[in-house]
Amino acid sequence: MAVKGEIKPLRDVVFVTELEQGQRVSAGGIVIPDDNMKDHGIRARWGKVWKVGPEVNDLKEGEWILIKHGRWTFGIEVEGDNGEIFKIYKVEYPDAVELVSDEFPLDIKPLN
C-alpha cells in the first residue's frame, strides 16, 4: 500500500528517489557489485533529491547526491499526483551526503 497525500519534510530532512541499486557495469566494463548487505558490494549510492526540509539550504529538488553506504532508510512507497507509485528514502543529512551533482553523474548500465 502506498502513502497518499502531501508529504512535507520537517526541519533538515532530505528524501530521495531513484536510489541506485543492483549490480552495474561501467562504460569501461568494470563490474560494480550490488550491495547485498554482506561483506562485499558495500558502496555509496546515488539518489535523486525528491524533497528537502526548510532548514536544508545546500540541496535542491532534482539534484543527485552520493550517499554513504547504509545511511538511508528502507524506503516507503508513495503515490504521486499522476497515480504513479514510487519509493522514497530518508537520508541521514548532512553526515551521509558526500557529493552533489545537477545530473546523474555515472555512465553505468544494469547487468542483465
Side-chain angles (χ1 to χ4, degrees):
M1 173 186 276
V3 175
K4 294 183 180 183
E6 182 70 21
I7 296 175
K8 294 181 183 181
L10 302 176
R11 297 180 298 281
D12 64 350
V13 172
V14 174
F15 288 119
V16 299
T17 60
E18 301 180 43
L19 189 64
E20 174 196 1
Q21 296 187 30
Q23 187 167 321
R24 308 275 194 226
V25 62
S26 73
I30 298 172
V31 174
I32 304 164
D34 185 20
D35 170 6
N36 60 6
M37 305 307 261
K38 293 186 180 178
D39 60 349
H40 64 280
I42 295 174
R43 61 181 169 83
R45 294 187 189 183
W46 288 96
K48 189 173 187 178
V49 177
W50 182 61
K51 289 192 179 188
V52 297
E55 296 175 12
V56 178
N57 299 316
D58 53 351
L59 297 177
K60 297 181 295 201
E61 294 174 12
E63 290 182 320
W64 287 87
I65 58 174
L66 184 62
I67 308 161
K68 289 181 184 178
H69 171 73
R71 305 292 292 274
W72 57 83
T73 62
F74 283 107
I76 60 170
E77 289 185 343
V78 297
E79 183 174 335
D81 295 335
N82 61 0
E84 176 188 5
I85 305 235
F86 57 94
K87 267 193 169 182
I88 62 171
Y89 305 84
K90 181 180 177 246
V91 175
E92 292 181 17
Y93 174 83
D95 297 335
V97 178
E98 295 185 313
L99 298 170
V100 180
S101 177
D102 290 335
E103 297 178 5
F104 188 67
L106 301 177
D107 183 16
I108 58 176
K109 299 173 185 155
L111 289 175
N112 294 333

